Amino acid sequence: MATEIRVPTLGESVTEATIGKWFKKVGDSVAADETLLELETDKVTIEVPAPAAGTLSEITAAEGDTVGVGALLGQIAAAGAGTAAPKAAAAPSGAKQAESAADYGGRREATSTASASGAGSAATTAEAAEKTAAVAGDAGPVERRDTPPAPSAAKMLADNNLSADQVQGSGKRGQVMKGDVIDALSRGAASEPAETPRVAKGSGNEEAREERVKMTRLRQTIAKRLKDAQNVAAMLTTFNEVDMKPVMDLRSKYKDLFEKKHGVKLGFMGFFTKAVTHALKEIPAVNAEIDGTDIVYKNYAHIGVAVGTDKGLVVPVVRDADQMTIAEIEKEIGRLGIAARDGKLGMSDMQGGTFTISNGGVYGSLMSTPILNAPQSGILGMHKIQERPVVAGGQVVIRPMMYLALSYDHRIVDGKEAVTFLVRVKESLEDPERLVLDL
């Protein structure tokens, strides 16, 4: 008896997702709770585990398909049961494709047929024959496809001096996936750089040198939210600079003892988060939001920490940061950072932020104007620490300086409040004892 694989509950207000990648193929054996595929939602990537052990007998939704909560993704047959042929993915307009696969003495052969209005049968037959030989283990070249390799596969191809032509793709419309590259390398695929056809300059054949990749749901959501913030909020940015020497000296003095006691490294984010929560208490408008004709003041500080991942920018939230110590903040940021890197963030990790901190300095940014994370009214931009000459006590000295940027919604935050907020953050960082004494 087959066990159905269905789309799980995706979280509050999320009703659909896009299939990012299948990790198993029809005919593969699976263990209970083994990850079968990834679902990409507007906010996070969710792994779907196998509901039972057995053999993946059917895939009903292919990579790139949009599916709703509860939709059927595939089926798992009990161990020893036969497997059904995979259903063909929807083909481009004007063409139909069908694929079937069977194992003969351990050698898998696949044939594909396609028909297009008017012509192409001979070319299609040749392509099918070549694909059959490649799947069966023929060392001959694989014809290049229109669909570019997946980003992770493209990186692995480049690292190993391979071209997509040398790898048989298992993804939708023959897309080369990371697992396909791994399989090719394990078979000893040539590591010599593939010869690429030269295109004459000014030939007008730019399209042949372009790559078209569909935006992930996360990237689409990021684009929409950022543009909505620009369209709705009256955004303005104010700048200041902070002398990081006091914080750096304090960190250098206590970092080893701090890590030994708390089991986490002492970074800069703990100081910045604590400085922000202190300033928010004094300037509550920066921690508020507009709801229709009302202003909602938040008597708590849920601080979003922007994290760049290979799939886009995510903003996990440190909840009640105003009630936490620097050590507790560092531990929570560490946990959220690992979860973001591994694609393990839950919906609860991403919701409810009241203010955001974005650290472009880790990428070398010297100054920027961050965009609000709506419906929040403020976001603090951190930047690169750079030694610069400054005047201190009537003398020119060299100090490790950082530019700070506060973008805010001018509909709710006045200029005086924004400048005061940024000055309070600066004061706390240049005199970190204030953070301990709550001054």
Side-chain angles (χ1 to χ4, degrees):
M1 183 176 179
T3 302
E4 293 181 338
I5 309 164
R6 293 191 175 273
V7 178
T9 301
L10 301 172
E12 182 182 353
S13 75
V14 181
T15 58
E16 63 180 19
T18 299
I19 297 178
K21 179 180 180 181
W22 276 93
F23 297 105
K24 293 289 185 178
K25 302 174 185 176
V26 170
D28 288 352
S29 60
V30 298
D33 296 325
E34 183 179 5
T35 300
L36 295 177
L37 70 153
E38 284 183 344
L39 294 176
E40 296 177 354
T41 73
D42 292 348
K43 297 181 176 67
V44 294
T45 298
I46 298 173
E47 294 182 347
V48 178
T55 302
L56 184 60
S57 59
E58 185 178 10
I59 292 177
T60 58
E63 294 178 2
D65 288 355
T66 298
V67 291
V69 174
L72 182 65
L73 299 172
Q75 297 194 65
I76 296 175
T83 62
K87 291 187 177 180
S93 175
K96 293 183 179 179
Q97 293 181 335
E99 294 186 0
S100 62
D103 287 336
Y104 296 96
R107 293 167 60 87
R108 179 174 296 173
E109 298 182 350
T111 61
S112 64
T113 62
S115 62
S117 66
S121 58
T124 305
T125 304
E127 180 183 2
E130 188 171 310
K131 181 178 179 183
T132 300
V135 176
D138 196 318
V142 180
E143 187 171 338
R144 183 182 293 278
R145 303 160 192 82
D146 293 335
T147 306
S152 57
K155 183 178 185 303
M156 186 170 286
L157 286 169
D159 292 344
N160 291 277
N161 291 327
L162 290 173
S163 76
D165 295 340
Q166 297 172 274
V167 180
Q168 177 66 43
S170 63
K172 190 175 182 181
R173 293 187 292 276
Q175 184 182 33
V176 175
M177 311 303 291
K178 184 177 180 180
D180 301 328
V181 183
I182 295 173
D183 291 343
L185 292 173
S186 67
R187 292 197 302 268
S191 59
E192 292 298 322
E195 189 174 328
T196 351
R198 295 179 179 271
V199 181
K201 291 183 178 180
S203 65
N205 193 23
E206 287 82 5
E207 191 172 320
R209 293 179 285 166
E210 296 175 350
E211 181 180 5
R212 184 179 295 270
V213 179
K214 184 177 177 61
M215 292 173 69
T216 63
R217 290 185 65 87
L218 177 59
R219 175 54 61 185
Q220 293 177 46
T221 302
I222 291 170
K224 182 177 183 301
R225 285 177 60 84
L226 292 178
K227 190 57 185 172
D228 286 347
Q230 286 185 320
N231 292 339
V232 174
M235 277 199 298
L236 191 62
T237 304
T238 185
F239 298 92
N240 213 316
E241 62 179 351
V242 57
D243 182 352
M244 293 295 294
K245 189 174 187 304
V247 168
M248 294 173 72
D249 288 346
L250 187 65
R251 178 173 176 265
S252 177
K253 182 177 181 180
Y254 292 110
K255 64 179 182 180
D256 293 336
L257 183 60
F258 184 92
E259 184 174 3
K260 182 178 180 180
K261 180 175 181 179
H262 299 290
V264 65
K265 291 184 178 180
L266 178 60
F268 293 121
M269 287 304 298
F271 292 102
F272 273 87
T273 303
K274 202 64 182 173
V276 161
T277 61
H278 280 211
L280 289 176
K281 291 178 181 178
E282 182 175 345
I283 314 293
V286 185
N287 199 44
E289 68 179 59
I290 293 178
D291 183 13
T293 57
D294 296 333
I295 298 176
V296 181
Y297 291 95
K298 310 295 179 68
N299 296 318
Y300 52 89
H302 292 346
I303 306 300
V305 180
V307 178
T309 71
D310 57 352
K311 295 184 178 179
L313 184 73
V314 294
V315 189
V317 177
V318 179
R319 299 186 177 280
D320 294 312
D322 55 320
Q323 300 177 24
M324 301 170 72
T325 65
I326 289 179
E328 291 170 335
I329 291 172
E330 289 286 1
K331 288 179 181 179
E332 182 64 1
I333 289 176
R335 181 189 73 82
L336 293 170
I338 292 173
R341 181 197 65 196
D342 298 340
K344 304 286 188 183
L345 286 173
M347 297 299 294
S348 59
D349 293 325
M350 308 281 287
Q351 296 174 334
T354 62
F355 184 91
T356 296
I357 301 175
S358 177
N359 186 3
V362 296
Y363 306 110
S365 172
L366 188 61
M367 185 178 290
S368 67
T369 55
I371 298 178
L372 288 172
N373 184 17
Q376 298 171 21
S377 296
I379 178 171
L380 179 72
M382 298 168 54
H383 298 94
K384 177 183 178 180
I385 299 174
Q386 187 177 63
E387 288 191 337
R388 293 197 293 272
V390 296
V391 177
Q395 293 184 332
V396 177
V397 294
I398 303 299
R399 288 283 189 269
M401 305 298 292
M402 177 193 287
Y403 287 119
L404 298 180
L406 175 70
S407 291
Y408 59 97
D409 190 344
H410 212 344
R411 296 177 303 164
I412 184 174
V413 181
D414 294 331
K416 176 184 176 182
E417 294 173 310
V419 172
T420 303
F421 175 88
L422 202 52
V423 168
R424 293 294 178 268
V425 171
K426 170 185 169 70
E427 290 173 346
S428 293
L429 294 170
E430 292 185 340
D431 188 7
E433 286 83 358
R434 286 172 172 266
L435 300 177
V436 179
L437 300 174
D438 196 18
L439 297 176

